[in-house]
Amino acid sequence: MDTPANIIGKALTMTPIMSGINADGTWGYGINGTNPIAMVQSGCTTNSIAPEYTARTTLSIDPFKGFNIFGAYSWKRADGETNAFVKPYQVYESGVSKGEFPTTGSSKSEHRTKTVTKQYNLQGTYEKNFHKNYLKALVGFQSEELHNTYLLAGRKNYYYDGYEELVNGDVSTASNSSSKCAWSMLSYFFRLNYAYNDRYLLEVNGRYDGTSRFKKGHRWGFFPSVSAGWRISEENFFESAKSVVSNLKLRASYGAVGNSAIDPYQTIAGLSKYDYLFGEDAGNKFFAYRPSMIPNKDLGWEISRTANFGVDFGLWNNRISGYIEGYITKTSDLLMERTLPFFTGFSKVWQNIGKTENKGIELNIQANTLKTKSFSWETTVTFARNWNKITELLGGGDIRNNSWFIGKPLQVHYNYEMIGVWQLGEEKEAQKYGAIPGDIKVKDQNNDGSIGELDKVILGQKDPKIIASLLNS
């Protein structure tokens, strides 16, 4: 059954000469029988509800000054229910019936989903000021789990109006499918903040995350980070410059983050049910199961390590402010879905395929261009330049099936190079490549007299190298 968006799309692509409603009130032929007006007014009915239920409780205790214990538990259930009925409609063209559409006849489908998410968090925080020192420490753990169920059932051939319940369809056309999945994650974390005289800043973080998406031995990863800052504008020697430079801060950081964002069960071999038929009798069949995906028990965390250096500034009492920073991120054990050759019997497999490097600079400037009691005008200018490339791939070489090339960006346009159109007078040369005048001319990169996979080249990258903007508000 078409979605509302698809029906609207079909209505927008109908040309003015296509009939929606004929002069005699009958349904027009539309787009080869597909009439979006008829579908909306008499051919399709969809009812959907999506209730959500949420419960949350928190507990906060202060055993002594500066120390806080905080706990939170949340539970959320999201249900989805969709009932859809398709009723054929008769279409006419020039007064002649063109039959019923859709040609598959009437059908009913019912779709049910349920997703339950649970989160639990417990942490302790200690905060203290002494002399010119500030200290804050936090430790805790967090757990999260999700359970999802899905059910779809349908039947065809409904012959009487008003009897559109699922049970009234032709039992021989009954179909159904269902699925269930669950995943969980457990994390232990800490954070330490220290500041001296509000000038020298230090922060240390660490996370120890475990996920059910990976098999034992690969589930846990530790991801530390450290950052430091120096507020130069708070130094005594800077006082003479504060009439112009009202704020100046240097900062630097280095840390690691992990990524486990893959679907559950990618580390085990999934099975799919298939029908096997004996003889010519369609009812003489049995069901069997065969692997539907290749398991990868060695899947593990994708880890990105980033170094960042920046300067925050403010001029003339922060009338103009902004920052400039540079960064470099090196990602290892990149989690990607790799395309497999057809002869393997499988199309794709998840793997930790290699390493990438991503670096760049960013500039942001904000200016209070004009400000009065009744009017304000602010201008923001941003500029970013980025370079990224693959530095290593599984197996040591390029993976052309996925358009991954060492030394090149991760997302590239990899295709044939079009160099024009075959012209009259070039028939003999075009014939070598199975083309005729008027066809697109593809460059023979290796000059072997034929066009094949080896003639594909990198035409460019998909991600922009430079992003800039100017905003006035």
Side-chain angles (χ1 to χ4, degrees):
M1 177 175 180
D2 280 316
T3 63
N6 286 340
I7 294 175
I8 293 173
K10 290 176 180 177
L12 293 174
T13 55
M14 283 183 65
T15 64
I17 62 173
M18 293 179 177
S19 58
I21 303 177
N22 297 320
D24 60 0
T26 57
W27 297 120
Y29 190 52
I31 309 172
N32 297 322
T34 300
N35 186 329
I37 302 175
M39 293 170 69
V40 171
Q41 296 190 8
S42 68
C44 302
T45 302
T46 301
N47 295 307
S48 298
I49 59 173
E52 291 188 359
Y53 314 92
T54 302
R56 177 177 168 82
T57 181
T58 61
L59 176 66
S60 182
I61 303 174
D62 297 313
F64 53 87
K65 184 179 179 180
F67 185 60
N68 173 263
I69 298 175
F70 177 82
Y73 175 79
S74 65
W75 176 93
K76 179 180 179 181
R77 171 173 166 173
D79 292 344
E81 179 179 329
T82 299
N83 296 321
F85 185 78
V86 176
K87 179 181 178 181
Y89 50 88
Q90 195 82 18
V91 295
Y92 296 83
E93 187 175 44
S94 302
V96 179
S97 173
K98 302 292 287 186
E100 284 189 341
F101 288 86
T103 57
T104 53
S106 57
S107 63
K108 174 69 178 287
S109 65
E110 295 189 5
H111 179 199
R112 306 282 187 272
T113 62
K114 182 176 73 172
T115 303
V116 176
T117 306
K118 302 176 184 178
Q119 290 183 331
Y120 181 71
N121 182 53
L122 180 64
Q123 63 186 46
T125 305
Y126 179 72
E127 189 173 15
K128 185 174 179 61
N129 287 286
F130 51 99
H131 304 296
K132 296 181 179 181
N133 301 276
Y134 169 78
L135 178 67
K136 184 177 181 180
L138 178 147
V139 294
F141 80 91
Q142 178 180 349
S143 67
E144 181 178 6
E145 60 181 271
L146 179 143
H147 299 266
N148 174 267
T149 57
Y150 163 92
L151 175 64
L152 175 66
R155 289 189 182 186
K156 297 180 179 180
N157 301 334
Y158 290 79
Y159 301 109
Y160 303 102
D161 292 339
Y163 291 84
E164 286 98 15
E165 293 302 318
L166 188 64
V167 69
N168 294 322
D170 185 351
V171 67
S172 65
T173 65
S175 63
N176 61 76
S177 63
S178 65
S179 67
K180 178 188 292 187
C181 77
W183 60 264
S184 60
M185 188 168 180
L186 180 62
S187 303
Y188 301 93
F189 54 87
F190 71 88
R191 181 172 67 236
L192 178 66
N193 294 92
Y194 174 76
Y196 177 74
N197 203 21
D198 204 29
R199 299 175 186 174
Y200 312 108
L201 312 173
L202 177 68
E203 180 175 300
V204 180
N205 292 275
R207 292 184 63 92
Y208 189 51
D209 294 327
T211 176
S212 64
R213 288 183 168 95
F214 302 136
K215 292 187 73 68
K216 292 181 178 179
H218 301 275
R219 288 179 174 173
W220 292 92
F222 179 64
F223 311 106
S225 67
V226 60
S227 62
W230 178 23
R231 289 178 174 163
I232 302 177
S233 55
E234 298 302 315
E235 296 286 359
N236 294 329
F237 65 77
F238 201 81
E239 284 297 324
S240 60
K242 291 194 73 171
S243 60
V244 177
V245 184
S246 48
N247 177 49
L248 184 62
K249 176 184 175 182
L250 300 182
R251 52 184 169 83
S253 65
Y254 180 81
V257 295
N259 174 32
S260 62
I262 61 172
D263 292 333
Y265 316 122
Q266 299 300 314
T267 59
I268 59 178
L271 298 176
S272 295
K273 186 175 73 171
Y274 291 86
D275 301 343
Y276 286 85
L277 183 66
F278 285 95
E280 299 180 358
D281 184 4
N284 188 18
K285 61 182 178 180
F286 75 98
F287 301 106
Y289 290 85
R290 72 180 187 190
S292 59
M293 57 184 286
I294 295 179
N296 185 353
K297 63 181 181 179
D298 295 323
L299 274 180
W301 286 90
E302 173 185 300
I303 303 175
S304 297
R305 298 173 175 86
T306 300
N308 181 290
F309 306 91
V311 179
D312 299 331
F313 61 87
L315 306 175
W316 298 292
N317 199 26
N318 290 331
R319 188 180 183 92
I320 298 176
S321 62
Y323 64 85
I324 181 170
E325 65 179 291
Y327 60 88
I328 180 169
T329 300
K330 294 186 177 182
T331 301
S332 59
D333 297 321
L334 196 68
L335 273 174
M336 298 289 284
E337 201 170 20
R338 180 180 179 181
T339 301
L340 296 176
F342 178 77
F343 62 79
T344 64
F346 302 92
S347 59
K348 297 179 179 181
V349 62
W350 279 97
Q351 289 182 320
N352 295 105
I353 60 101
K355 299 178 180 179
T356 61
E357 180 182 281
N358 185 50
K359 59 185 179 181
I361 57 172
E362 294 183 4
L363 172 66
N364 179 286
I365 299 176
Q366 295 177 317
N368 293 317
T369 309
L370 180 64
K371 187 173 184 179
T372 66
K373 292 182 178 180
S374 58
F375 180 78
S376 66
W377 175 15
E378 294 184 357
T379 300
T380 302
V381 177
T382 63
F383 173 85
R385 176 68 166 95
N386 178 265
W387 297 264
N388 77 87
K389 63 180 179 180
I390 297 173
T391 58
E392 184 179 314
L393 285 170
L394 193 68
D398 299 334
I399 304 178
R400 293 176 175 268
N401 286 345
N402 288 86
S403 302
W404 296 333
F405 302 91
I406 296 176
K408 301 298 181 180
L410 184 61
Q411 300 288 337
V412 297
H413 294 284
Y414 177 63
N415 211 325
Y416 300 108
E417 182 180 358
M418 315 299 178
I419 56 175
V421 177
W422 288 105
Q423 304 294 319
L424 293 174
E426 296 181 314
E427 290 87 351
K428 187 174 181 181
E429 183 69 15
Q431 189 176 10
K432 296 180 181 178
Y433 300 98
I436 59 174
D439 289 346
I440 297 294
K441 184 186 293 186
V442 178
K443 186 174 182 179
D444 184 2
Q445 302 288 345
N446 56 3
N447 296 313
D448 65 350
S450 64
I451 301 298
E453 283 294 316
L454 296 179
D455 294 301
K456 289 184 177 180
V457 294
I458 297 174
L459 303 174
Q461 67 179 66
K462 296 181 180 180
D463 298 321
K465 297 179 181 179
I466 297 176
I467 299 176
S469 68
L470 173 63
L471 175 66
N472 285 288
S473 61

